């Protein structure tokens, strides 16, 4: 994967997770939003205006549409002032989905 490094404005290759300074978000994995729905992280990209990394993710309900959100927000904690009763720490948390074929 390639993206623009906002500090140097040079392109380079990054590992399958993005970026090191944030919580580790994994491509191809399912995340639970703090309001309960689930999403599949499809990929990472760079915002053309800000140069910041974004997460491209797919709803796993309704129309299955694609969404994009700044990585910092995707990996961030739930706003406790706005949502004081939420039990989940992070806005999106990794779900462990075991295989139905491997018991």
């Amino acid at each position: 994967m390639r993206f623009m490094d906002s500090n140097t404005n040079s392109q380079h290759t990054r590992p399958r997770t993005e970026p090191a300074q944030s919580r580790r978000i994994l491509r191809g994995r399912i995340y639970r939003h703090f309001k309960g729905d689930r999403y599949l992280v499809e990929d990472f990209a760079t915002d053309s205006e800000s140069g910041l990394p974004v997460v491209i993710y797919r709803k796993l309900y309704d129309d299955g549409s694609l969404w994009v959100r700044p990585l910092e927000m995707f990996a961030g904690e739930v706003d406790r002032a706005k949502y004081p009763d939420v039990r989940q720490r992070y806005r999106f948390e990794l779900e462990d989905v075991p295989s139905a074929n491997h018991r």
Side-chain angles (χ1 to χ4, degrees), residues 16-72:
R16 303 288 289 177
T17 60
E18 293 299 324
Q21 67 268 24
S22 295
R23 267 183 58 232
R24 187 173 158 163
I25 303 299
L26 304 171
R27 178 185 289 114
R29 299 292 299 272
I30 295 172
Y31 286 80
R32 182 182 62 251
H33 187 265
F34 73 93
K35 292 181 180 177
D37 286 319
R38 286 166 177 80
Y39 301 85
L40 173 65
V41 171
E42 293 275 354
D43 212 340
F44 302 95
T46 302
D47 183 284
S48 64
E49 296 297 316
S50 68
L52 295 174
V54 296
V55 178
I56 301 167
Y57 59 103
R58 183 176 302 280
K59 291 171 36 175
L60 295 180
Y61 58 96
D62 291 339
D63 64 356
S65 58
L66 284 174
W67 292 77
V68 64
R69 182 182 296 256
L71 175 62
E72 185 174 323

Side-chain angles (χ1 to χ4, degrees), residues 2-14 46 51:
R2 297 174 67 80
F3 76 97
M4 293 296 290
D5 182 331
S6 60
N7 295 328
T8 64
N9 290 330
S10 64
Q11 288 191 349
H12 54 85
T13 302
R14 291 291 280 208
T46 302

